[in-house]
Amino acid sequence: MKNSLKALILLLFTLISTSSFAQSFVVLPDGLKDALNTEKSYLVLDAENLDANQLYKNGLKYIANNYGNPDEVIVGQIEGESLTFKTYIKDFITYKNSGVKVPISARFTTKLDFKEGKVKYEIMKLEMPQANASSTEKSFPVLFSGGMMSGLIVYKKNGNLFKPQTKTDIENVFNGIVAELSAALKGESKEDDW
């Protein structure tokens, strides 16, 4: 994803989060969950007055506009029904560990399922490894929950929040992506304003 896109995503989320909490993720010990229904690990994005086929086409357009080589990132598609694509974000967040700022990247797969007026948005296979770890040093990934020796954790094993800023940073990035994708699916993308 382009760096300017990352900045735009964060700006969009900041604007949207002040006006609405709907259609957003929250970080919990067991992963990303729907902020309004923490039983769900996916969001349903509203797109009134658009059929599944138009939403699918808008999803393809979003991928084409935001990924260097769309053919390489799309890993599954059923025309008019679903799109599955891979994303890699270098320097996704910075994890503060004992006063040291550790750059973290993210690799994940996104699945979009389309129906009349709505899109199911799901993040799958999320990995958050250290961005600049050399092959000789031990790399600890960011984990939603765990023990101190298992990785760079957000929540302790007992469920207590350990890194509030990391929790907020992860939510901000993913909710920024959700806001931008939602606008693109509805045909409200800023890239169309030229």
Side-chain angles (χ1 to χ4, degrees):
M1 230 189 229
K2 303 170 189 166
N3 284 338
S4 60
L5 175 62
K6 186 175 176 183
L8 176 64
I9 288 169
L10 290 175
L11 175 64
L12 282 172
F13 176 70
T14 303
L15 294 172
I16 288 172
S17 66
T18 59
S19 62
S20 172
F21 200 63
Q23 300 178 328
S24 63
F25 282 115
V26 63
V27 171
L28 296 177
D30 55 344
L32 289 170
K33 300 293 182 175
D34 182 331
L36 297 176
N37 180 355
T38 58
E39 297 294 317
K40 296 188 319 186
S41 59
Y42 61 88
L43 301 176
V44 177
L45 308 177
D46 294 320
E48 292 181 25
N49 303 322
L50 294 172
D51 64 22
N53 216 23
Q54 186 60 53
L55 290 166
Y56 172 81
K57 287 177 186 176
N58 289 350
L60 285 173
K61 185 175 179 182
Y62 169 82
I63 294 168
N65 287 334
N66 291 291
Y67 291 82
N69 191 342
D71 293 333
E72 288 184 11
V73 300
I74 295 174
V75 293
Q77 64 188 99
I78 301 171
E79 189 169 337
E81 293 181 28
S82 71
L83 275 171
T84 305
F85 57 98
K86 298 182 296 185
T87 300
Y88 174 75
I89 304 173
K90 186 176 177 6
D91 298 329
F92 168 70
I93 61 167
T94 300
Y95 186 98
K96 292 181 184 168
N97 188 22
S98 301
V100 176
K101 294 180 180 179
V102 180
I104 303 296
S105 294
R107 288 187 296 263
F108 55 94
T109 302
T110 303
K111 184 165 190 229
L112 303 175
D113 291 311
F114 306 100
K115 287 188 177 182
E116 179 85 25
K118 58 187 174 180
V119 179
K120 180 181 175 187
Y121 175 89
E122 186 172 11
I123 299 294
M124 305 180 311
K125 300 179 186 176
L126 173 59
E127 296 175 337
M128 296 178 282
Q130 283 181 240
N132 300 323
S134 70
S135 59
T136 57
E137 61 186 354
K138 185 162 176 127
S139 175
F140 288 99
V142 172
L143 304 173
F144 290 112
S145 179
M148 298 295 203
M149 299 307 290
S150 58
L152 303 171
I153 59 171
V154 179
Y155 286 89
K156 294 180 181 179
K157 280 185 193 178
N158 64 8
N160 290 337
L161 182 59
F162 180 65
K163 292 288 184 177
Q165 186 60 52
T166 301
K167 174 186 182 303
T168 299
D169 291 346
I170 294 169
E171 290 170 349
N172 285 346
V173 173
F174 277 107
N175 290 326
I177 292 169
V178 168
E180 183 193 11
L181 176 63
S182 182
L185 291 171
K186 294 175 188 175
E188 301 169 354
S189 176
K190 293 290 182 196
E191 293 181 8
D192 292 335
D193 295 339
W194 49 272

